[in-house]
Amino acid sequence: MRVYQATARNFSAETENRIHSDEVAAEFGFAGALVPGAAIFGHMTRPLLDALGTNWLSNWRADVRFLKPAYDGDALTIHHEAQGEEHCVRCQARGLVLAELTTSPSGSDGPPSAVDPGLTPELRPEIRWDNVEIGEPFPAWTWTPDTVANAESAAQVEDDLSCYRDGVIHPHAILSTANRTLTRRYQLPAWIHVGSNLRFRRLLRIGDEIGVRTVPRRKWRHKGHEFVELRINYVVEGMVATEIGHVAIFRIRGSN
């Protein structure tokens, strides 16, 4: 078992999602502003890149679940274990398991599922249960990562691996951009990213013109929360480079 230490930082306090502010997070019963799940995921990928190199971002599957909130300043202990070809990464703080990630080689699993580009809406409405339309694609858009933004994504999760300076897109940026697919389509006063599954098909690099295509796959209610699962494809040169199943609570129990 490998153990990696890090410190959680909330770099999203000024974003539209007010769950990353102390005041709004407290209204929902949290001890403080939540650190984004994408950042915790970024920390958790460090031991995987140490062990597997950039091949992990080229042809592996990963499933990450955020179980408990992370707060700014939390001392993170990240455990990495390998059992054969399956790897498990667990993130702990305050005596709690905050997140778990499992990953294994993809193998030959057939072609990716297609996601069509949607039409551009006239407005970005506030999200509601009845305007989340299952199977209706979001407007497509293009993400072109640059050196400065990639370096910032790596620095925010204390990651100094040379591959990111050499142009490989950091996993923190990959999952943060998946969050943006939701916020580009809707206004969300406060929401929580609870998990993602990823299928890496090719390495994403600085300068790639990445077409982002998104469609809601399902929505459900549980314990007073309203959830949505998005299917997101990152398309480079006409080929799907990364597939993401992205799950969020878009309306938290007790929201007005």
Side-chain angles (χ1 to χ4, degrees), residues 24-226:
V24 173
E27 291 176 10
F28 292 108
F30 296 106
L34 273 60
V35 172
I40 299 304
F41 172 73
H43 284 295
M44 295 172 76
T45 64
R46 174 58 188 263
L48 294 171
L49 269 291
D50 282 340
L52 302 168
T54 56
N55 180 57
W56 184 69
L57 291 166
S58 305
N59 193 34
W60 282 62
R61 288 185 177 277
D63 186 85
V64 61
R65 292 290 175 264
F66 305 112
L67 308 173
K68 298 289 183 181
Y71 300 120
D72 188 74
D74 274 350
L76 306 177
T77 301
I78 297 168
H79 300 270
H80 168 223
E81 281 187 283
Q83 295 184 345
E85 291 192 309
E86 183 168 293
H87 294 246
C88 178
V89 181
R90 192 178 312 107
C91 178
Q92 295 178 295
R94 311 187 314 275
L96 303 170
V97 177
L98 306 187
E100 292 181 338
L101 186 160
T102 57
T103 185
S104 58
S106 294
S108 54
D109 58 357
S113 56
V115 176
D116 296 326
L119 299 176
T120 302
E122 295 181 4
L123 299 171
R124 188 171 69 100
E126 184 169 333
I127 198 166
R128 301 188 312 274
W129 178 263
D130 59 5
N131 68 9
V132 177
E133 299 182 24
I134 303 307
E136 185 67 31
F138 291 0
W141 55 287
T142 301
W143 172 38
T144 306
D146 61 31
T147 301
V148 173
N150 199 49
E152 182 178 17
S153 290
Q156 287 175 344
V157 294
E158 305 174 3
D159 199 335
D160 59 359
L161 286 178
S162 62
C163 63
Y164 304 122
R165 295 192 298 275
D166 294 340
V168 174
I169 301 304
H170 199 283
H172 176 205
I174 291 173
L175 216 52
S176 292
T177 299
N179 284 335
R180 288 170 59 198
T181 67
L182 195 57
T183 59
R184 286 176 62 94
R185 178 63 181 88
Y186 297 103
Q187 297 178 45
L188 296 99
W191 63 283
I192 301 173
H193 174 201
V194 297
S196 295
N197 59 74
L198 304 97
R199 195 323 188 167
F200 300 117
R201 292 182 175 272
R202 63 166 272 183
L203 206 59
L204 295 175
R205 300 190 62 88
I206 290 168
D208 283 343
E209 292 190 357
I210 303 169
V212 182
R213 297 183 178 180
T214 308
V215 64
R217 294 291 298 273
R218 61 189 181 113
K219 61 181 178 179
W220 66 98
R221 293 182 169 113
H222 182 63
K223 295 184 178 180
H225 302 304
E226 295 181 354

